[in-house]
Amino acid sequence: MFADINLMFSKVENFMAVGIGPSNTLRTMFSQMIGTVAVILVISAFIGGSDLITKITRTNKKWVYSLAAGLLGGIFGIYGNISGFELNGAVVSVRDIGPMLAGFTGGPIGGLLAGIIAGIHRLTMGGDFAQACVVATCSIGLICGFISMKWHNFMKKPYVALILSACMELMHLGITLIMVKPFDYALKTVEQIVIPFVTINALGFALMIVIITYMENQRKMYAEKSRLESELEVASVIQQSLLPGINDRYPGRKEVEVDGYMKAAKEVGGDFYDLFFVRPTKIAFVIGDVSGKGVPAALFMANSKIILQNCVRDIKDLEEAVKIANNAIYDRNEADMFITIWVGVLDLESGELNYVSAGHNAPVLSRGNHAEFLEEKHNFVVGGIQGSEYKGQKVQLEDNDVICLYTDGVTEAEDKNHNLFGEDRLLNCFRNDSNDPTELIGEVRTSVNEFIDGNSQFDDITMLCFKWKKQ
């Protein structure tokens, strides 16, 4: 970036030098002023990108910000004085960029303070033009401050900054012509310096505005990103709290052992699992996968989960419960999303499992060392079409049978060559001596992680595993 700036200044210098004549004095003025502006730009970019500006801008005391802007602008002005080019008692420099910058960022107070600091330093350097420079520098800082108060955002436009700074430098030269005597002496000096003086200061201030605006936007983006990350972390915690707490006390029945797992591809996701009692001896197991990812899917998931839970609890017929839930979700589906679900109600005393699958992956039934997918009728997804009918099925579980529910984030996990984990690898995870839900979920997780071998997770991965034990 700064290499491009230096190249642009070099082209300006060469153009001006060629257009006016091969004047070594003019070329020297351009070189010194361009070098000074380049240094100021680098320092400004460094300060603007640091935490210092962020800390200052967070203060509620405007005078603190104005004071900081004035001091920084004054330092830039002093540096401009020191690195300026002396001609006929005048110091040709980029001193005015400091007060203009301070006025833009710190208002009239900042601009005036920077002008006073840079002006006093210029006064100590002496010369016929010293007093005029003090008046001009202070006036420029003050005027830019007032303009910034009223049209700050307008000043951010590079062409506006360029025109404004050119006008300020012309005003500076006008004050010089008024205050410095004799007039012919002042006019001769002004004629020699007007082109490099106005050109470099105007370009330098315009580039300064571009850098400041860029840094300001970056800080805002960083602050917004931090805020969103913080909110997403809270949303992730809230989403995890929506999942049922599975522990020694819940579901608290000797007839069933349960464990669940969910890992969202992003901070929050659209997968969920649930379990709840619908009767004293009947417990429902649910797993769902919302179309889409992120916050919209998570919100749709939370709403759908509550609707489905209420319907299954209140309506004895499972097919009818899913149908009514579908209609309710459809009526509130402004985002045109849908959800695949599998819901089953297990009779803890008999081991009979009634279930309905609405476009969801077939669960795994693990019985001894044999594992297979449960047969299921094809029903449409939930929330997609009003009035959809759903057909249920039944299966009689045997002692120590395990049912594993999962979302397609498991079977569609990809390795680095875009190969899918697939259903065969999933079944292989259950063909061992273990029938403990926690161990089986761990086996699937380990197998998936080894398969993807460090590849990023594309979809939410969710599992709910339960074992029925005949009493």
Side-chain angles (χ1 to χ4, degrees), residues 7-77:
L7 179 61
M8 183 189 71
F9 275 132
S10 297
K11 290 182 178 179
V12 171
E13 177 188 354
N14 293 335
F15 172 77
M16 293 299 180
V18 172
I20 296 174
S23 170
N24 291 331
T25 300
L26 190 61
R27 296 177 71 89
T28 304
M29 271 192 283
F30 268 108
S31 297
Q32 289 191 211
M33 294 177 73
I34 289 171
T36 304
V37 170
V39 172
I40 292 175
L41 290 175
V42 172
I43 295 173
S44 299
F46 176 78
I47 294 176
S50 67
D51 293 335
L52 177 62
I53 297 298
T54 303
K55 292 178 180 178
I56 295 176
T57 53
R58 285 177 180 171
T59 179
N60 293 324
K61 300 178 181 179
K62 292 184 178 180
W63 66 269
V64 174
Y65 188 64
S66 297
L67 178 63
L71 291 174
L72 181 60
I75 293 173
F76 284 161

Side-chain angles (χ1 to χ4, degrees), residues 261-266 269-272 287-293 340 359-362 404-415 419-423 425-426 444-452 455-464:
Y261 170 80
M262 187 186 80
K263 182 181 180 182
K266 297 182 178 180
D271 283 8
F272 74 94
I287 194 165
D289 185 359
V290 175
S291 59
K293 303 176 184 66
T340 68
H360 200 78
N361 304 78
C404 183
L405 314 176
Y406 60 94
T407 59
D408 59 9
V410 175
T411 53
E412 294 181 4
E414 293 185 357
D415 63 11
N419 297 312
L420 299 181
F421 182 74
E423 295 180 344
R425 289 186 178 88
L426 176 62
V444 175
R445 290 175 57 188
T446 300
S447 183
V448 170
N449 289 332
E450 290 177 352
F451 174 77
I452 64 176
N455 194 30
S456 59
Q457 180 182 336
F458 175 75
D459 200 0
D460 304 334
I461 294 178
T462 304
M463 289 178 282
L464 179 63

Side-chain angles (χ1 to χ4, degrees), residues 8 125 133 181 207 209 256 269 292 320 325 385 460:
M8 183 189 71
M125 299 174 70
C133 286
K181 304 300 179 183
L207 287 171
I209 293 299
V256 67
E320 185 68 15
I385 298 178
D460 304 334

